[in-house]
Amino acid sequence: QVQLVESGGGLVQAGGSLRLSCAASGRTFSSYTMGWFRQAPGKEREFVGAITWRRSSTLYADSVKGRFTISRDNAKNTVYLQMNSLKPEDTAVYYCAADIRKSTYYSGTYDYWGQGTQVTVSS
């Protein structure tokens, strides 16, 4: 069982920045591919980005590319989502997720999810 706890959400003005953190339990965090997702009111959850376990390769949704950066600190069992140049349309609950399968290639399938943290961007 892996527990994920997000933090760092809040209210920020458009153009501002926030850094979200996701702390994971478990001794093998370095073997988890970690993803970030978000869900805005009335919308489906959407993929934001991910960082793989093997080479810490990152991939991003087009909507956040160039503005958001994912990183990880395996010593702290934590993955980060640095969000810059925030826009009102980035307002959502942000979730982190863990893929513990050690897939050779990015699978897009996740086994565990956090409870989410609210990000609100005012115009």
Side-chain angles (χ1 to χ4, degrees), residues 26-45:
R27 295 184 176 183
T28 57
F29 175 78
S30 61
S31 68
Y32 305 163
T33 284
M34 299 298 295
W36 285 98
F37 292 76
R38 66 187 182 185
Q39 188 167 19
K43 295 188 177 181
E44 293 189 353
R45 186 167 57 192

Side-chain angles (χ1 to χ4, degrees), residues 5 10 48 72 76 89 98-99 102-103 109 112:
V5 179
V48 173
R72 65 191 301 157
K76 296 182 178 180
E89 51 263 44
D99 167 9
K102 297 178 69 173
S103 304
T109 302
Y112 296 96

Side-chain angles (χ1 to χ4, degrees), residues 4 11-12 32 34 49 52 55 58 62 67 70 80 88-89 96 99 105 108-109 111 115 120:
L4 304 173
L11 174 64
V12 64
Y32 305 163
M34 299 298 295
T52 64
R55 294 185 175 87
T58 54
D62 287 344
R67 300 188 298 124
I70 297 175
Y80 303 98
E89 51 263 44
C96 69
D99 167 9
Y105 301 101
T109 302
D111 306 290
Q115 294 299 306
T120 303

Side-chain angles (χ1 to χ4, degrees), residues 26 33 40 54 61 66 70-71 74 78 97:
T33 284
R54 203 166 190 179
I70 297 175
S71 61
N74 289 335
T78 300

Side-chain angles (χ1 to χ4, degrees), residues 12 16 28 51 66 76 82 88 99-101 104-105 107 109-110 114:
V12 64
T28 57
I51 184 164
K76 296 182 178 180
Q82 177 67 44
D99 167 9
I100 67 170
R101 307 176 195 194
T104 301
Y105 301 101
S107 69
T109 302
Y110 292 87

